[in-house]
PDB file of all heavy atoms in Angstrom:
ATOM      1  N   ALA Y 313      -7.668  38.967  18.846  1.00 86.00           N
ATOM      2  CA  ALA Y 313      -7.696  40.375  19.219  1.00 86.00           C
ATOM      3  C   ALA Y 313      -8.007  41.292  18.049  1.00 86.00           C
ATOM      4  O   ALA Y 313      -8.782  42.215  18.086  1.00 86.00           O
ATOM      5  CB  ALA Y 313      -6.474  40.795  20.024  1.00 86.00           C
ATOM      6  N   MET Y 314      -7.273  40.992  16.912  1.00 85.00           N
ATOM      7  CA  MET Y 314      -7.477  41.815  15.730  1.00 85.00           C
ATOM      8  C   MET Y 314      -8.865  41.696  15.196  1.00 85.00           C
ATOM      9  O   MET Y 314      -9.512  42.692  14.825  1.00 85.00           O
ATOM     10  CB  MET Y 314      -6.491  41.351  14.668  1.00 85.00           C
ATOM     11  CG  MET Y 314      -6.579  42.239  13.413  1.00 85.00           C
ATOM     12  SD  MET Y 314      -5.719  41.522  12.003  1.00 85.00           S
ATOM     13  CE  MET Y 314      -6.815  40.160  11.584  1.00 85.00           C
ATOM     14  N   LEU Y 315      -9.415  40.486  15.184  1.00 77.00           N
ATOM     15  CA  LEU Y 315     -10.791  40.259  14.710  1.00 77.00           C
ATOM     16  C   LEU Y 315     -11.782  41.020  15.594  1.00 77.00           C
ATOM     17  O   LEU Y 315     -12.814  41.460  15.113  1.00 77.00           O
ATOM     18  CB  LEU Y 315     -11.096  38.821  14.578  1.00 77.00           C
ATOM     19  CG  LEU Y 315     -10.382  38.006  13.490  1.00 77.00           C
ATOM     20  CD1 LEU Y 315     -10.596  36.527  13.593  1.00 77.00           C
ATOM     21  CD2 LEU Y 315     -10.773  38.537  12.110  1.00 77.00           C
ATOM     22  N   GLY Y 316     -11.526  41.075  16.862  1.00 77.00           N
ATOM     23  CA  GLY Y 316     -12.427  41.693  17.807  1.00 77.00           C
ATOM     24  C   GLY Y 316     -12.518  43.237  17.601  1.00 77.00           C
ATOM     25  O   GLY Y 316     -13.452  43.839  18.065  1.00 77.00           O
ATOM     26  N   THR Y 317     -11.575  43.801  16.907  1.00 81.00           N
ATOM     27  CA  THR Y 317     -11.573  45.245  16.708  1.00 81.00           C
ATOM     28  C   THR Y 317     -12.143  45.658  15.351  1.00 81.00           C
ATOM     29  O   THR Y 317     -12.389  46.835  15.068  1.00 81.00           O
ATOM     30  CB  THR Y 317     -10.154  45.805  16.766  1.00 81.00           C
ATOM     31  OG1 THR Y 317      -9.319  45.282  15.741  1.00 81.00           O
ATOM     32  CG2 THR Y 317      -9.565  45.555  18.115  1.00 81.00           C
ATOM     33  N   ARG Y 318     -12.453  44.676  14.467  1.00 77.00           N
ATOM     34  CA  ARG Y 318     -12.941  44.948  13.143  1.00 77.00           C
ATOM     35  C   ARG Y 318     -14.410  45.300  13.185  1.00 77.00           C
ATOM     36  O   ARG Y 318     -15.209  44.733  13.962  1.00 77.00           O
ATOM     37  CB  ARG Y 318     -12.686  43.783  12.247  1.00 77.00           C
ATOM     38  CG  ARG Y 318     -11.237  43.468  11.968  1.00 77.00           C
ATOM     39  CD  ARG Y 318     -11.017  42.329  11.176  1.00 77.00           C
ATOM     40  NE  ARG Y 318     -11.444  42.529   9.774  1.00 77.00           N
ATOM     41  CZ  ARG Y 318     -11.505  41.636   8.862  1.00 77.00           C
ATOM     42  NH1 ARG Y 318     -11.141  40.347   9.175  1.00 77.00           N
ATOM     43  NH2 ARG Y 318     -11.844  41.844   7.648  1.00 77.00           N
ATOM     44  N   SER Y 319     -14.805  46.205  12.337  1.00 77.00           N
ATOM     45  CA  SER Y 319     -16.242  46.576  12.134  1.00 77.00           C
ATOM     46  C   SER Y 319     -16.836  45.677  11.079  1.00 77.00           C
ATOM     47  O   SER Y 319     -16.288  45.610   9.983  1.00 77.00           O
ATOM     48  CB  SER Y 319     -16.345  47.994  11.779  1.00 77.00           C
ATOM     49  OG  SER Y 319     -17.665  48.298  11.467  1.00 77.00           O
ATOM     50  N   ILE Y 320     -17.862  44.963  11.422  1.00 74.00           N
ATOM     51  CA  ILE Y 320     -18.507  44.052  10.496  1.00 74.00           C
ATOM     52  C   ILE Y 320     -19.874  44.573  10.132  1.00 74.00           C
ATOM     53  O   ILE Y 320     -20.635  44.860  11.067  1.00 74.00           O
ATOM     54  CB  ILE Y 320     -18.552  42.609  11.068  1.00 74.00           C
ATOM     55  CG1 ILE Y 320     -17.152  42.114  11.384  1.00 74.00           C
ATOM     56  CG2 ILE Y 320     -19.218  41.650  10.046  1.00 74.00           C
ATOM     57  CD1 ILE Y 320     -17.075  40.810  12.098  1.00 74.00           C
ATOM     58  N   LYS Y 321     -20.229  44.656   8.853  1.00 81.00           N
ATOM     59  CA  LYS Y 321     -21.490  45.127   8.436  1.00 81.00           C
ATOM     60  C   LYS Y 321     -22.636  44.183   8.888  1.00 81.00           C
ATOM     61  O   LYS Y 321     -22.433  43.027   9.082  1.00 81.00           O
ATOM     62  CB  LYS Y 321     -21.500  45.282   6.921  1.00 81.00           C
ATOM     63  CG  LYS Y 321     -20.591  46.407   6.448  1.00 81.00           C
ATOM     64  CD  LYS Y 321     -20.737  46.524   4.949  1.00 81.00           C
ATOM     65  CE  LYS Y 321     -19.923  47.624   4.261  1.00 81.00           C
ATOM     66  NZ  LYS Y 321     -18.863  48.188   4.915  1.00 81.00           N
ATOM     67  N   THR Y 322     -23.842  44.777   9.080  1.00 83.00           N
ATOM     68  CA  THR Y 322     -24.955  43.999   9.567  1.00 83.00           C
ATOM     69  C   THR Y 322     -25.194  42.776   8.726  1.00 83.00           C
ATOM     70  O   THR Y 322     -25.507  41.700   9.191  1.00 83.00           O
ATOM     71  CB  THR Y 322     -26.168  44.906   9.606  1.00 83.00           C
ATOM     72  OG1 THR Y 322     -25.907  45.993  10.534  1.00 83.00           O
ATOM     73  CG2 THR Y 322     -27.380  44.186  10.203  1.00 83.00           C
ATOM     74  N   THR Y 323     -25.201  42.900   7.384  1.00 86.00           N
ATOM     75  CA  THR Y 323     -25.491  41.799   6.485  1.00 86.00           C
ATOM     76  C   THR Y 323     -24.449  40.725   6.609  1.00 86.00           C
ATOM     77  O   THR Y 323     -24.796  39.518   6.606  1.00 86.00           O
ATOM     78  CB  THR Y 323     -25.572  42.241   5.049  1.00 86.00           C
ATOM     79  OG1 THR Y 323     -24.357  42.925   4.677  1.00 86.00           O
ATOM     80  CG2 THR Y 323     -26.750  43.153   4.744  1.00 86.00           C
ATOM     81  N   ALA Y 324     -23.166  41.083   6.848  1.00 86.00           N
ATOM     82  CA  ALA Y 324     -22.125  40.115   6.975  1.00 86.00           C
ATOM     83  C   ALA Y 324     -22.326  39.378   8.310  1.00 86.00           C
ATOM     84  O   ALA Y 324     -22.099  38.174   8.427  1.00 86.00           O
ATOM     85  CB  ALA Y 324     -20.723  40.758   6.926  1.00 86.00           C
ATOM     86  N   LYS Y 325     -22.744  40.122   9.356  1.00 84.00           N
ATOM     87  CA  LYS Y 325     -22.985  39.550  10.675  1.00 84.00           C
ATOM     88  C   LYS Y 325     -24.112  38.485  10.472  1.00 84.00           C
ATOM     89  O   LYS Y 325     -24.055  37.397  11.054  1.00 84.00           O
ATOM     90  CB  LYS Y 325     -23.369  40.578  11.697  1.00 84.00           C
ATOM     91  CG  LYS Y 325     -22.253  41.350  12.220  1.00 84.00           C
ATOM     92  CD  LYS Y 325     -22.720  42.377  13.199  1.00 84.00           C
ATOM     93  CE  LYS Y 325     -21.603  43.255  13.613  1.00 84.00           C
ATOM     94  NZ  LYS Y 325     -22.029  44.344  14.552  1.00 84.00           N
ATOM     95  N   ALA Y 326     -25.170  38.823   9.815  1.00 86.00           N
ATOM     96  CA  ALA Y 326     -26.316  37.945   9.677  1.00 86.00           C
ATOM     97  C   ALA Y 326     -25.914  36.707   8.933  1.00 86.00           C
ATOM     98  O   ALA Y 326     -26.285  35.590   9.285  1.00 86.00           O
ATOM     99  CB  ALA Y 326     -27.479  38.658   8.973  1.00 86.00           C
ATOM    100  N   ARG Y 327     -25.071  36.836   7.862  1.00 89.00           N
ATOM    101  CA  ARG Y 327     -24.656  35.654   7.136  1.00 89.00           C
ATOM    102  C   ARG Y 327     -23.745  34.804   7.967  1.00 89.00           C
ATOM    103  O   ARG Y 327     -23.785  33.579   7.959  1.00 89.00           O
ATOM    104  CB  ARG Y 327     -23.894  36.079   5.870  1.00 89.00           C
ATOM    105  CG  ARG Y 327     -24.824  36.512   4.722  1.00 89.00           C
ATOM    106  CD  ARG Y 327     -24.118  36.600   3.366  1.00 89.00           C
ATOM    107  NE  ARG Y 327     -22.891  37.374   3.408  1.00 89.00           N
ATOM    108  CZ  ARG Y 327     -22.825  38.683   3.087  1.00 89.00           C
ATOM    109  NH1 ARG Y 327     -23.899  39.323   2.770  1.00 89.00           N
ATOM    110  NH2 ARG Y 327     -21.662  39.259   3.110  1.00 89.00           N
ATOM    111  N   ALA Y 328     -22.894  35.410   8.844  1.00 88.00           N
ATOM    112  CA  ALA Y 328     -22.010  34.665   9.653  1.00 88.00           C
ATOM    113  C   ALA Y 328     -22.783  33.885  10.723  1.00 88.00           C
ATOM    114  O   ALA Y 328     -22.487  32.745  11.010  1.00 88.00           O
ATOM    115  CB  ALA Y 328     -20.999  35.595  10.337  1.00 88.00           C
ATOM    116  N   ILE Y 329     -23.842  34.517  11.281  1.00 87.00           N
ATOM    117  CA  ILE Y 329     -24.707  33.843  12.266  1.00 87.00           C
ATOM    118  C   ILE Y 329     -25.429  32.712  11.608  1.00 87.00           C
ATOM    119  O   ILE Y 329     -25.509  31.574  12.142  1.00 87.00           O
ATOM    120  CB  ILE Y 329     -25.658  34.830  12.932  1.00 87.00           C
ATOM    121  CG1 ILE Y 329     -24.914  35.784  13.814  1.00 87.00           C
ATOM    122  CG2 ILE Y 329     -26.741  34.097  13.751  1.00 87.00           C
ATOM    123  CD1 ILE Y 329     -25.665  36.983  14.354  1.00 87.00           C
ATOM    124  N   ASP Y 330     -25.960  32.892  10.431  1.00 90.00           N
ATOM    125  CA  ASP Y 330     -26.603  31.838   9.693  1.00 90.00           C
ATOM    126  C   ASP Y 330     -25.705  30.669   9.392  1.00 90.00           C
ATOM    127  O   ASP Y 330     -26.065  29.496   9.516  1.00 90.00           O
ATOM    128  CB  ASP Y 330     -27.283  32.323   8.385  1.00 90.00           C
ATOM    129  CG  ASP Y 330     -28.569  33.126   8.613  1.00 90.00           C
ATOM    130  OD1 ASP Y 330     -29.085  33.165   9.777  1.00 90.00           O
ATOM    131  OD2 ASP Y 330     -29.043  33.671   7.627  1.00 90.00           O
ATOM    132  N   LEU Y 331     -24.506  31.001   8.994  1.00 92.00           N
ATOM    133  CA  LEU Y 331     -23.506  29.948   8.718  1.00 92.00           C
ATOM    134  C   LEU Y 331     -23.207  29.161  10.004  1.00 92.00           C
ATOM    135  O   LEU Y 331     -23.142  27.947  10.006  1.00 92.00           O
ATOM    136  CB  LEU Y 331     -22.226  30.588   8.179  1.00 92.00           C
ATOM    137  CG  LEU Y 331     -21.058  29.595   7.856  1.00 92.00           C
ATOM    138  CD1 LEU Y 331     -21.508  28.550   6.803  1.00 92.00           C
ATOM    139  CD2 LEU Y 331     -19.878  30.339   7.433  1.00 92.00           C
ATOM    140  N   ALA Y 332     -23.016  29.842  11.111  1.00 91.00           N
ATOM    141  CA  ALA Y 332     -22.739  29.173  12.370  1.00 91.00           C
ATOM    142  C   ALA Y 332     -23.935  28.269  12.781  1.00 91.00           C
ATOM    143  O   ALA Y 332     -23.670  27.113  13.170  1.00 91.00           O
ATOM    144  CB  ALA Y 332     -22.510  30.227  13.482  1.00 91.00           C
ATOM    145  N   ILE Y 333     -25.145  28.739  12.652  1.00 90.00           N
ATOM    146  CA  ILE Y 333     -26.337  27.922  12.990  1.00 90.00           C
ATOM    147  C   ILE Y 333     -26.317  26.652  12.118  1.00 90.00           C
ATOM    148  O   ILE Y 333     -26.612  25.577  12.621  1.00 90.00           O
ATOM    149  CB  ILE Y 333     -27.601  28.740  12.823  1.00 90.00           C
ATOM    150  CG1 ILE Y 333     -27.687  29.869  13.870  1.00 90.00           C
ATOM    151  CG2 ILE Y 333     -28.823  27.795  12.890  1.00 90.00           C
ATOM    152  CD1 ILE Y 333     -28.811  30.841  13.669  1.00 90.00           C
ATOM    153  N   SER Y 334     -25.991  26.837  10.847  1.00 92.00           N
ATOM    154  CA  SER Y 334     -26.092  25.664   9.935  1.00 92.00           C
ATOM    155  C   SER Y 334     -25.033  24.640  10.201  1.00 92.00           C
ATOM    156  O   SER Y 334     -25.071  23.518   9.678  1.00 92.00           O
ATOM    157  CB  SER Y 334     -25.984  26.143   8.484  1.00 92.00           C
ATOM    158  OG  SER Y 334     -24.706  26.601   8.159  1.00 92.00           O
ATOM    159  N   MET Y 335     -24.066  24.884  11.067  1.00 93.00           N
ATOM    160  CA  MET Y 335     -23.002  23.975  11.425  1.00 93.00           C
ATOM    161  C   MET Y 335     -23.177  23.371  12.786  1.00 93.00           C
ATOM    162  O   MET Y 335     -22.393  22.502  13.194  1.00 93.00           O
ATOM    163  CB  MET Y 335     -21.623  24.726  11.403  1.00 93.00           C
ATOM    164  CG  MET Y 335     -21.221  25.177  10.015  1.00 93.00           C
ATOM    165  SD  MET Y 335     -19.515  25.847  10.233  1.00 93.00           S
ATOM    166  CE  MET Y 335     -19.494  26.942   8.838  1.00 93.00           C
ATOM    167  N   VAL Y 336     -24.139  23.762  13.505  1.00 91.00           N
ATOM    168  CA  VAL Y 336     -24.359  23.416  14.902  1.00 91.00           C
ATOM    169  C   VAL Y 336     -25.065  22.021  15.034  1.00 91.00           C
ATOM    170  O   VAL Y 336     -25.893  21.694  14.169  1.00 91.00           O
ATOM    171  CB  VAL Y 336     -25.205  24.469  15.653  1.00 91.00           C
ATOM    172  CG1 VAL Y 336     -25.758  23.903  16.930  1.00 91.00           C
ATOM    173  CG2 VAL Y 336     -24.413  25.678  15.864  1.00 91.00           C
ATOM    174  N   ASP Y 337     -24.671  21.249  15.998  1.00 93.00           N
ATOM    175  CA  ASP Y 337     -25.343  20.041  16.423  1.00 93.00           C
ATOM    176  C   ASP Y 337     -26.221  20.449  17.580  1.00 93.00           C
ATOM    177  O   ASP Y 337     -25.682  20.764  18.659  1.00 93.00           O
ATOM    178  CB  ASP Y 337     -24.422  18.945  16.809  1.00 93.00           C
ATOM    179  CG  ASP Y 337     -23.720  18.226  15.664  1.00 93.00           C
ATOM    180  OD1 ASP Y 337     -23.868  18.729  14.512  1.00 93.00           O
ATOM    181  OD2 ASP Y 337     -23.021  17.285  15.899  1.00 93.00           O
ATOM    182  N   LEU Y 338     -27.518  20.460  17.457  1.00 94.00           N
ATOM    183  CA  LEU Y 338     -28.409  20.745  18.533  1.00 94.00           C
ATOM    184  C   LEU Y 338     -28.525  19.426  19.376  1.00 94.00           C
ATOM    185  O   LEU Y 338     -28.773  18.317  18.834  1.00 94.00           O
ATOM    186  CB  LEU Y 338     -29.819  21.136  18.037  1.00 94.00           C
ATOM    187  CG  LEU Y 338     -30.773  21.809  19.014  1.00 94.00           C
ATOM    188  CD1 LEU Y 338     -30.117  23.033  19.639  1.00 94.00           C
ATOM    189  CD2 LEU Y 338     -32.039  22.189  18.278  1.00 94.00           C
ATOM    190  N   THR Y 339     -28.230  19.564  20.649  1.00 94.00           N
ATOM    191  CA  THR Y 339     -27.992  18.366  21.466  1.00 94.00           C
ATOM    192  C   THR Y 339     -28.827  18.383  22.731  1.00 94.00           C
ATOM    193  O   THR Y 339     -29.012  19.367  23.362  1.00 94.00           O
ATOM    194  CB  THR Y 339     -26.488  18.366  21.863  1.00 94.00           C
ATOM    195  OG1 THR Y 339     -25.680  18.374  20.707  1.00 94.00           O
ATOM    196  CG2 THR Y 339     -26.162  17.101  22.716  1.00 94.00           C
ATOM    197  N   THR Y 340     -29.317  17.138  23.093  1.00 94.00           N
ATOM    198  CA  THR Y 340     -29.810  16.953  24.404  1.00 94.00           C
ATOM    199  C   THR Y 340     -29.259  15.582  24.948  1.00 94.00           C
ATOM    200  O   THR Y 340     -29.366  14.576  24.276  1.00 94.00           O
ATOM    201  CB  THR Y 340     -31.394  16.943  24.446  1.00 94.00           C
ATOM    202  OG1 THR Y 340     -31.816  16.765  25.811  1.00 94.00           O
ATOM    203  CG2 THR Y 340     -31.991  15.855  23.589  1.00 94.00           C
ATOM    204  N   LEU Y 341     -28.547  15.723  26.069  1.00 93.00           N
ATOM    205  CA  LEU Y 341     -27.948  14.547  26.641  1.00 93.00           C
ATOM    206  C   LEU Y 341     -28.153  14.555  28.111  1.00 93.00           C
ATOM    207  O   LEU Y 341     -27.206  14.559  28.952  1.00 93.00           O
ATOM    208  CB  LEU Y 341     -26.405  14.546  26.306  1.00 93.00           C
ATOM    209  CG  LEU Y 341     -26.016  14.458  24.844  1.00 93.00           C
ATOM    210  CD1 LEU Y 341     -24.555  14.688  24.648  1.00 93.00           C
ATOM    211  CD2 LEU Y 341     -26.504  13.133  24.222  1.00 93.00           C
ATOM    212  N   GLU Y 342     -29.366  14.533  28.476  1.00 91.00           N
ATOM    213  CA  GLU Y 342     -29.756  14.446  29.941  1.00 91.00           C
ATOM    214  C   GLU Y 342     -30.243  13.117  30.252  1.00 91.00           C
ATOM    215  O   GLU Y 342     -30.889  12.424  29.456  1.00 91.00           O
ATOM    216  CB  GLU Y 342     -30.820  15.532  30.207  1.00 91.00           C
ATOM    217  CG  GLU Y 342     -30.348  16.948  29.985  1.00 91.00           C
ATOM    218  CD  GLU Y 342     -31.439  17.976  30.238  1.00 91.00           C
ATOM    219  OE1 GLU Y 342     -32.447  17.618  30.824  1.00 91.00           O
ATOM    220  OE2 GLU Y 342     -31.312  19.107  29.855  1.00 91.00           O
ATOM    221  N   GLY Y 343     -30.091  12.716  31.477  1.00 88.00           N
ATOM    222  CA  GLY Y 343     -30.647  11.431  31.923  1.00 88.00           C
ATOM    223  C   GLY Y 343     -32.124  11.371  31.838  1.00 88.00           C
ATOM    224  O   GLY Y 343     -32.703  10.270  31.850  1.00 88.00           O
TER     225      GLY Y 343
END
Side-chain angles (χ1 to χ4, degrees):
M314 182 193 73
L315 290 172
T317 63
R318 294 177 71 187
S319 175
I320 302 172
K321 293 184 178 15
T322 303
T323 55
K325 285 180 187 176
R327 283 196 307 268
I329 290 169
D330 284 352
L331 179 61
I333 291 169
S334 72
M335 293 185 205
V336 166
D337 286 5
L338 196 54
T339 302
T340 184
L341 298 172
E342 297 179 14

